[in-house]
């Protein structure tokens, strides 16, 4: 039985009993817009992603033109834009990239407008605030000079969550994170979707600047490109020398102070008898017309039915009888249909509590059965499979690491077949390949500290029985012999006594 079934059912029941407040937002290739309906007014804020000028806006519903208030361009007099520069410092070998980051951020901070308040943070395994948002330009520059590549691991997603929490603590109408990174992410408990949901909920956009590590590893930049695309931000990428052209540099912050706000009067829709569920917005720009439908809730009051007073009914009947004395016409009776009695919703009174009770009983029974269920022991012995070879660590305990794949990776990351959690080991340090003829090769994967065989540094070499591998601070012996090899040796006859002289 699926252990996760009952919690999911319980969660679904709670969702059905709860309702979220009305709010709406939409992100397209050209616009980032959010609207909120209050009484008979629809208030909207929007930001253009590809152009600085604000468009002309029309609104209608069911062919009824609606009045749009003046389009207020952003920023207005009291508006503030918060910008947090977030720098990846996770690789000590890339201090040259950090120096490029410093120069770019200095150039960007010098071009900021008075309403744009900047802050600075760095991350590797730890998220650090170097200059809170709103810091003076003097202190900001001093903090920028302290940036140094020193970290070993990259917790990208967790650091972005911390950055969102920090920028949310600052009161501003627009909030932007400018991420400078190579796209590497080693998070295990935080994910891409966590960042998107939190950013959209907080109204934060992520502009990212990609610094490729190498041509093969530049694919990791897709990580930060998606973060920008799905939060309404922009993504730009340096060349392999970590430089930006002047045209690309101007696009770094061009999307943060665009658009504005407007309101739509919904009174005409309340005067219409037809139900309305959407208001259609038309954004007219130099690139063409963009149509967006915004959901609304219009409650139309039903008109009271006109009734004839009882006295009037009686006099009318009598007059009709008087005018038709010669005709035997029965009096007209007005029968009013009695309103149906609303039945009691038995499901709400009895069904829902009963469903909860049944769910709780099933959960208790399942937990009891799982607790009573005897564990099935899986017997595995070394004879069930035979590794190709072994690495034996010279740690006093002679820990053996079986080589069970034709391509066997060694490094600090958890995804390697042999994961060595030590700062002397690169994320992906080396690979051992088993060839079709049964021989083994070891390949250095451009590691920081290199690979040595019998005290000789190699790039790629064939492994032989008894070779000593030096990988970072670890010494490992290569062998193709199993741990019980000595038990497999043939028995040799020994002379235990002299032959008889008789």
């Amino acid at each position: 039985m699926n252990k996760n079934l009952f919690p999911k059912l319980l969660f679904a029941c709670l969702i059905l009993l709860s309702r979220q407040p009305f709010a709406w937002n939409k992100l397209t290739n050209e616009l980032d817009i959010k609207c909120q309906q209050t009484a008979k007014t629809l208030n909207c804020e929007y930001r253009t992603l590809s152009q600085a000028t604000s468009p002309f806006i029309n609104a209608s519903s069911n062919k009824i033109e609606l009045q749009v208030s003046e389009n207020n361009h952003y920023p207005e007099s009291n508006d503030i834009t918060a910008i947090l520069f977030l720098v990846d410092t996770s690789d000590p070998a890339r201090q040259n990239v950090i120096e490029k980051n410093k120069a770019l951020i200095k150039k960007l901070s010098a071009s900021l407008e008075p309403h744009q308040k900047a802050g600075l943070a760095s991350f590797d395994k730890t998220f650090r605030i170097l200059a809170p948002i709103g810091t003076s330009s003097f202190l900001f520059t001093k903090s920028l000079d302290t940036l140094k590549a020193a970290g070993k691991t990259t917790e990208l997603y967790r650091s972005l969550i911390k950055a969102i929490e920090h920028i949310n603590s600052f009161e501003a109408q627009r909030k932007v994170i400018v991420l400078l990174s190579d796209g590497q992410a080693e998070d295990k408990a935080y994910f891409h979707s966590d960042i998107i949901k939190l950013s959209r909920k907080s109204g934060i956009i992520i502009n990212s600047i990609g610094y490729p590590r190498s041509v093969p590893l530049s694919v990791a930049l897709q990580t930060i490109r998606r973060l920008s695309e799905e939060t309404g931000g922009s993504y730009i990428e340096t060349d392999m020398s970590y430089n930006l052209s002047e045209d690309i540099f101007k696009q770094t912050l061009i999307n943060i102070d665009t658009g504005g706000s407007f309101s739509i009067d919904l009174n005409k829709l309340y005067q219409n008898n037809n139900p309305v569920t959407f208001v259609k917005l038309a954004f007219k720009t130099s690139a063409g017309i963009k149509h967006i439908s915004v959901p609304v809730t219009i409650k139309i009051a039903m008109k009271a039915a006109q009734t004839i007073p009882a006295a009037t009914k009686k006099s009318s009947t009598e007059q009709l009888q008087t005018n038709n004395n010669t005709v035997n016409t029965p009096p007209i009776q007005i029968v009013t249909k009695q309103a149906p009695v609303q039945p009691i919703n038995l499901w709400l009174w009895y069904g829902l509590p009963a469903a909860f009770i049944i769910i709780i009983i099933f959960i208790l029974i399942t937990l009891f059965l799982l607790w009573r269920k005897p564990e099935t022991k899986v017997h595995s012995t070394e004879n069930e499979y035979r590794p190709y070879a072994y690495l034996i660590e010279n740690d006093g305990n002679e820990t053996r690491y079986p080589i069970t794949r034709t391509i066997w990776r060694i490094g600090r990351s958890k995804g390697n077949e042999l994961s060595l959690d030590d700062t002397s080991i690169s994320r992906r340090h080396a690979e051992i390949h088993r060839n079709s003829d049964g021989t083994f090769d070891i390949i250095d994967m451009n590691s920081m500290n290199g690979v040595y065989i019998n005290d000789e540094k190699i790039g790629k070499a064939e492994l032989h029985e008894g070779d000593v591998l030096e990988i970072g601070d670890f010494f490992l012996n290569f062998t193709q012999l199993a741990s019980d090899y000595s038990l497999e040796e043939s028995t040799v006859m020994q002379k235990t006594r002299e032959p008889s002289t008789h």
Side-chain angles (χ1 to χ4, degrees), residues 372-471:
R372 290 293 303 273
K373 183 179 180 180
E375 295 183 359
T376 303
K377 295 185 178 180
V378 179
H379 299 281
S380 61
T381 64
E382 196 172 297
N383 294 328
E384 293 178 0
Y385 70 95
R386 187 171 184 88
Y388 299 126
Y390 303 86
L391 292 183
I392 304 175
E393 183 178 354
N394 294 336
D395 58 352
N397 298 323
E398 295 188 352
T399 305
R400 298 174 70 90
Y401 302 105
I403 301 175
T404 57
R405 296 187 178 183
T406 55
I407 298 179
W408 203 70
R409 300 168 297 176
I410 305 172
R412 194 174 71 248
S413 297
K414 299 297 184 182
N416 296 291
E417 279 70 30
L418 175 54
S419 177
L420 300 173
D421 188 11
D422 191 89
T423 55
S424 65
I425 306 297
S426 298
R427 295 187 184 96
R428 192 174 178 185
H429 202 108
E431 287 183 355
I432 294 178
H433 291 197
R434 183 181 184 272
N435 302 316
S436 58
D437 59 357
T439 60
F440 293 83
D441 293 330
I442 186 168
I443 304 171
D444 183 3
M445 305 303 292
N446 297 322
S447 63
M448 182 178 298
N449 293 318
V451 176
Y452 293 80
I453 297 181
N454 303 325
D455 295 330
E456 181 180 350
K457 188 173 183 179
I458 59 93
K460 178 180 180 180
E462 183 177 348
L463 289 173
H464 301 91
E465 181 69 29
D467 281 347
V468 178
L469 281 66
E470 183 180 349
I471 299 178

Side-chain angles (χ1 to χ4, degrees), residues 311-327:
T312 306
K313 296 176 186 177
K314 182 176 180 181
S315 59
S316 299
T317 303
E318 293 174 350
Q319 183 65 33
L320 183 61
Q321 291 176 345
T322 303
N323 295 336
N324 297 278
N325 286 331
T326 58
V327 182

Side-chain angles (χ1 to χ4, degrees), residues 11-27:
F11 179 74
C13 292
L14 294 176
I15 290 296
L16 291 174
L17 295 175
S18 63
R19 296 194 61 177
Q20 297 295 329
F22 173 77
W24 179 89
N25 65 78
K26 186 177 182 65
L27 178 63

Side-chain angles (χ1 to χ4, degrees), residues 273-294:
N273 291 329
N274 297 325
V276 176
T277 56
F278 287 93
V279 169
K280 188 174 183 180
L281 303 180
F283 289 81
K284 298 181 180 179
T285 68
S286 57
I289 300 178
K290 179 67 178 179
H291 294 284
I292 295 178
S293 296
V294 181

Side-chain angles (χ1 to χ4, degrees), residues 253-264:
L253 300 177
I254 196 173
N255 65 329
I256 64 175
D257 282 347
T258 63
S261 61
F262 59 91
S263 298
I264 300 173

